[in-house]
Amino acid sequence: MIELLPQAFALLLSPQGLLVLSVGTMLGIVLGALPGIGSTVAVAMILPFTLTMDQAPAILLLLAIYAGSVYGGSISAILINTPGTPQSAATCLDGFPMAQRGEAGKALGWATIASVVGGLTSAVVLIFAAPQLAAFALNFGPIETFALILLGLTCIVSVSEGSLVKGLMAGMLGIFLSTVGGDPITGEARFTFGQFQLIAGFNLLAVVIGVFALSEVLIRASSGPDSTGVLVDFKGIVLPRWAEWKGRLRGLAKSVAIGNGVGILPGTGAATAAFISYAEARRSAPTRANFGKGEPDGLIASESANNAVTGGALVPTMALGIPGDAITAVMLATLTLHGVTPGIRLMQDNPVLMASIFAGFFIINLMLLPLGMLVSKLAAPLLRMREAYMLIVITLLCTVGVFFVRGNPFDLLVMAGAGIVGFVLRRQGYPMAPLVIGMVLGPTLELSLRQGLIITDGNFGAFFTGHPIALGLTIAAAGMLSLPLIRALRSKGA
Amino acid sequence: MKILTVTAMLAASVAMTGTALADDFPQRPINLIAPFNAGGGTDLLLRGFAPHFAEAIGGDAFVSNMAGGSGTVAAGALAGQRPDGYQLGYFSITVSTIQPQIKDVPYDVDSWTPICSVAASPTLLFTTADSPYTTIEEAVAAIEAEPGKLIYGSSGPGAMTHLTTVAGFAGLGVLDKLKHLPFQGSGPAVQAMQAGTIQFFGDTEILMTRGDFRPLMVFNDERLENYPDVPTAAEAGIEPPLNELYLWGGLFAPAGVEPEVVAKLEAACEAAVNSEGFQEFAANTATVIDYRGAEEFEAFFRAQYEANGALIEAAGL
């Protein structure tokens, strides 16, 4: 595999190869930045256009769209507090406060560098360790996944602004909302009150956009007649200077590792990784007191982790030929359409194709920097609109985006409802991030818990005996929960 | 001025739909609805089919996605729409015959005008290649030796993957000695099988070939070309209606489409299925083509609806 890489790079650095990669990345960034069009939809939208292309360009175009869209989501998260994709929900927490402070360019600069570093590292990991990591991922059964999600849930504590109790209540509401719809084990409809549409549950994206973006619009609209100013002052990306990275590199390395690790596990994903990484940074970063108020370390944590997931998610996909999520499933489907059989022999049977995919993935992540700067430069004039108009544009974008995902008008009602509920709750001091975390992690939490109970015949104690990985993760989760308490007690005693 | 033009166009399009006659069908693009997310197996098939269908009917056809509720959200939305032939859903065996019998959905066997069937692949029951059971008899012996220990997986409750294993093990009388572990889709389930969490899974041939798996039996009326040593379910001792199971799919319109329009759609479907382009597409994706005309498909669909009732009962859904 590695000996084929020079050949693969040479192939891709042709004008044709670069054209596919740059067009794909650019398109991915734009689609990711538009609220609603998440990575899966973006990739699926472009899929029909690849049918006439050759194997390698087709799959590379989709990879470029994928990596670009994960990064693109951060642009709208930072500039208009609307996560373009759920993966960027954690980016809103520090990105938007920075933008409001007038440092939008700088915030995007941090996010861009973090994304590039996250993506590039994951590409290297993919190239050198895919088969070994894929074998490790198989050790992650339902019980281990459950423990990991427990760890992820502890970040509700750290993102609860102001009142911990209110944060926990919002988190519980999120988990509860995720249980509406079909029971994952028996298939029965739950909490649908005879509403047929609710059989599929609440659409995650509609809720995320409602509670983050629409509630922000409502809050601004209700805050009085100051409609002459602009929402954020943004003229283009300002890259952080090297000196400013001092003290932040450890956090970056940790977030990249978390992103890669979560990425290779089946059934998790970039949104989970971003939140776990954010929580870990908030626990350990020297700047933790500023988190939530516009701290670059928070941005770095979430953006480097979610981009590191892209490479991680490709590990089982390419090494085992088994997709771990919807996006990688589309990639494999594309290979099928081009006459390549995905499966555990994928890498042995198509070494040249796989080498060019890996090499292309590396180049795509390098391209995020210049193309990200270009896209934000083009978007800057749009943001100079008066706030009143901007709010209308945001509402329109959200509406179109949410409708586009499933073509279901019911999702618009969900978005509107989430927006109003979010508005009311935020005014009462309830943070919205825990609600989204609950909704993102809730389905996996429930499914893995119940799967684990089926395996152990209902014995919850057996989760911790004979499952060392699960035990370790659970202890880490308990530590995360008790740490703030210990800290508080200590400072009281001192 | 602009408003006037738009109004005029709207009025014209309304008038057009109102007077649409079977003779000059189609006057508008035909919407082919995939009840799952873009990029899935159904979506891909439909996107490969649409251009040939459009060419055959001499108009436009486009694919739209309406995912949710294992396909029931789209089917529920289509049922009861105006039966003018401009909106067709591509529904699988589960969307059209299983889900309406296990969920409270706003459609049933009488909600449709079946147009044609397009594909049907038999399913197989399989285990890992390094598993100790080389035949279905050995598997059954192992299950009976340690009741409640072995686990079969599925891509979700009520999914085709679930019903395949249910048909197999219920037919052999050992279903209650096994545990069922549903996953969110086939991908994670197959990973769990590779990891040894589950021992049995059932799906189509194409999915099975992606892993290191060993087929135990096939739910077909005869043995498969690629696996001449693998017995059919009937040979393994499974009685009808549990011995044959096909992941089939076809085009459905809301009930009450005019016969002339049905005939046109049916003819276009047949031409599209037989087109060179679609045949090549099917070969690449290992899709087993199985065309049935409207009348034959309706009879088949109704028979399946009945037969799958037994399956649902066995699965305890």
Side-chain angles (χ1 to χ4, degrees):
Chain A
M1 170 60 52
I2 291 157
E3 62 280 1
L4 287 170
L5 280 176
Q7 192 193 332
F9 271 108
L11 209 73
L12 292 171
L13 291 173
S14 64
Q16 229 177 340
L18 284 176
L19 186 72
V20 167
L21 294 178
S22 54
V23 167
T25 312
M26 180 99 171
L27 208 59
I29 296 174
V30 173
L31 291 176
L34 292 172
I37 305 177
S39 303
T40 321
V41 177
V43 168
M45 265 172 74
I46 305 303
L47 177 65
F49 298 100
T50 65
L51 291 179
T52 53
M53 301 167 80
D54 280 337
Q55 287 172 356
I59 195 87
L60 283 170
L61 182 65
L62 295 185
L63 271 181
I65 303 264
Y66 177 27
S69 67
V70 173
Y71 163 71
S74 68
I75 297 180
S76 41
I78 290 169
L79 295 179
I80 54 177
N81 202 27
T82 308
T85 63
Q87 293 108 300
S88 293
T91 307
C92 291
L93 303 179
D94 279 292
F96 189 60
M98 261 187 102
Q100 281 177 309
R101 219 166 45 209
E103 297 176 24
K106 206 134 194 215
L108 265 178
W110 287 110
T112 308
I113 299 287
S115 298
V116 171
V117 172
L120 279 182
T121 323
S122 77
V124 174
V125 169
L126 178 68
I127 291 170
F128 289 100
Q132 294 88 327
L133 283 175
F136 170 76
L138 288 182
N139 289 327
F140 247 77
I143 292 173
E144 285 78 12
T145 306
F146 171 71
L148 178 76
I149 297 297
L150 269 192
L151 182 62
L153 277 177
T154 60
C155 63
I156 286 182
V157 175
S158 55
V159 296
S160 296
E161 284 305 318
S163 160
L164 181 58
V165 174
K166 286 181 177 172
L168 287 175
M169 283 168 72
M172 288 310 220
L173 180 63
I175 296 178
F176 168 69
L177 289 179
S178 80
T179 64
V180 173
D183 181 302
I185 302 290
T186 66
E188 265 161 272
R190 303 182 298 195
F191 308 119
T192 58
F193 300 100
Q195 266 290 316
F196 163 68
Q197 290 279 1
L198 279 179
I199 278 188
F202 291 111
N203 184 269
L204 172 65
L205 203 85
V207 174
V208 169
I209 288 187
V211 298
F212 275 138
L214 211 57
S215 74
E216 179 74 30
V217 168
L218 290 175
I219 282 178
R220 291 187 166 263
S222 68
S223 70
D226 174 33
S227 56
T228 47
V230 293
L231 195 60
V232 290
D233 183 27
F234 176 65
K235 290 179 191 70
I237 291 185
V238 183
L239 292 180
R241 285 190 308 276
W242 174 245
E244 292 174 275
W245 280 97
K246 218 174 145 244
R248 303 191 198 278
L249 291 174
R250 260 193 68 188
L252 177 70
K254 211 188 284 181
S255 304
V256 169
I258 291 174
N260 269 301
V262 173
I264 61 170
L265 304 175
T268 42
T272 308
F275 277 119
I276 291 183
S277 164
Y278 185 84
E280 169 54 28
R282 173 144 196 170
R283 183 191 66 80
S284 61
T287 48
R288 56 182 167 267
N290 296 331
F291 269 52
K293 298 177 199 126
E295 170 54 48
D297 279 340
L299 262 179
I300 294 169
S302 113
E303 274 306 305
S304 58
N306 68 19
N307 279 79
V309 164
T310 54
L314 290 169
V315 165
T317 311
M318 297 302 168
L320 299 178
I322 303 169
D325 59 20
I327 303 165
T328 45
V330 177
M331 306 260 170
L332 285 187
T334 317
L335 284 178
T336 313
L337 283 176
H338 284 89
V340 178
T341 311
I344 46 171
R345 286 167 295 277
L346 184 64
M347 254 164 130
Q348 288 97 304
D349 292 352
N350 311 280
V352 180
L353 176 66
M354 297 315 271
S356 49
I357 288 176
F358 290 172
F361 188 63
F362 190 86
I363 301 174
I364 289 163
N365 279 294
L366 274 181
M367 284 181 162
L368 284 182
L369 181 61
L371 292 177
M373 293 182 80
L374 182 65
V375 170
S376 340
K377 188 118 213 153
L378 296 176
L382 298 177
L383 285 158
R384 266 177 238 130
M385 250 186 279
R386 270 166 48 186
E387 184 178 325
Y389 296 142
M390 197 64 212
L391 295 180
I392 296 172
V393 171
I394 293 175
T395 312
L396 273 176
L397 272 177
C398 295
T399 311
V400 173
V402 166
F403 183 70
F404 190 80
V405 182
R406 299 200 297 181
N408 193 339
F410 180 74
D411 290 343
L412 294 178
L413 292 179
V414 171
M415 178 185 79
I420 292 166
V421 169
F423 171 65
V424 172
L425 287 180
R426 280 174 72 177
R427 292 208 117 184
Q428 303 299 318
Y430 288 87
M432 283 300 102
L435 192 152
V436 172
I437 294 170
M439 258 205 97
V440 168
L441 300 183
T444 322
L445 177 80
E446 186 196 354
L447 182 67
S448 59
L449 171 66
R450 293 178 63 186
Q451 284 177 329
L453 287 173
I454 291 176
I455 292 172
T456 62
D457 290 313
N459 178 4
F460 187 64
F463 273 46
F464 308 108
T465 53
H467 293 275
I469 300 177
L471 185 64
L473 288 169
T474 313
I475 291 172
M480 288 274 241
L481 278 181
S482 45
L483 206 69
L485 203 68
I486 297 171
R487 257 195 207 131
L489 287 176
R490 259 208 204 144
S491 62
K492 234 180 223 169
Chain B
M1 188 61 212
K2 240 185 192 163
I3 294 172
L4 265 179
T5 330
V6 173
T7 322
M9 273 166 61
L10 275 177
S13 66
V14 166
M16 258 160 61
T17 54
T19 58
L21 293 167
D23 291 345
D24 34 52
F25 179 88
Q27 292 191 327
R28 291 188 281 135
I30 295 173
N31 182 5
L32 301 174
I33 302 165
F36 297 103
N37 273 321
T42 302
D43 175 69
L44 281 178
L45 182 98
L46 204 51
R47 283 179 199 274
F49 176 80
H52 307 292
F53 181 73
E55 199 186 319
I57 202 141
D60 276 326
F62 65 98
V63 177
S64 64
N65 300 84
M66 195 168 184
S70 310
T72 54
V73 168
L78 182 61
Q81 295 273 337
R82 195 187 343 205
D84 53 12
Y86 288 105
Q87 293 197 78
L88 307 175
Y90 184 89
F91 300 148
S92 64
I93 169 175
T94 46
V95 176
S96 61
T97 73
I98 312 273
Q99 294 291 343
Q101 301 195 61
I102 61 175
K103 278 190 193 151
D104 186 18
V105 297
Y107 65 93
D108 60 22
V109 67
D110 294 318
S111 304
W112 310 112
T113 308
I115 303 292
C116 63
S117 75
V118 175
S121 314
T123 60
L124 298 100
L125 180 69
F126 49 90
T127 185
T128 44
D130 56 0
S131 101
Y133 336 113
T134 51
T135 63
I136 185 68
E137 288 80 17
E138 287 177 27
V140 168
I143 294 164
E144 285 187 324
E146 288 180 282
K149 180 163 174 283
L150 297 179
I151 305 174
Y152 70 90
S154 75
S155 56
M160 199 58 189
T161 52
H162 183 197
L163 298 174
T164 299
T165 29
V166 164
F169 291 122
L172 296 166
V174 291
L175 186 67
D176 51 358
K177 298 191 175 78
L178 282 161
K179 290 195 279 192
H180 171 217
L181 202 59
F183 288 82
Q184 216 75 298
S186 279
V190 169
Q191 280 199 19
M193 180 116 138
Q194 208 95 53
T197 310
I198 59 172
Q199 285 78 44
F200 305 105
F201 194 67
D203 212 316
T204 52
E205 186 180 335
I206 171 83
L207 202 117
M208 194 192 73
T209 54
R210 289 186 187 170
D212 242 343
F213 299 132
R214 173 190 296 153
L216 295 174
M217 60 176 157
V218 52
F219 295 85
N220 199 13
D221 53 357
E222 56 182 59
R223 294 190 177 198
L224 293 184
E225 208 176 298
N226 292 333
Y227 302 97
D229 300 330
V230 176
T232 65
E235 287 171 339
I238 294 173
E239 307 276 331
L242 300 183
N243 64 327
E244 284 183 35
L245 212 49
Y246 303 92
L247 180 59
W248 55 259
L251 291 176
F252 288 84
V257 181
E258 283 176 59
E260 292 83 5
V261 174
V262 172
K264 281 197 170 176
L265 289 169
E266 182 189 6
C269 180
E270 183 170 12
V273 167
N274 292 326
S275 68
E276 209 174 292
F278 187 69
Q279 293 280 344
E280 191 191 336
F281 171 90
N284 274 341
T285 53
T287 304
V288 183
I289 293 181
D290 188 49
Y291 173 80
R292 281 186 184 83
E295 212 170 295
E296 200 191 334
F297 184 40
E298 170 143 25
F300 173 77
F301 162 61
R302 287 182 179 275
Q304 282 272 304
Y305 200 94
E306 285 289 309
N308 291 336
L311 208 53
I312 291 162
E313 210 167 294
L317 286 166

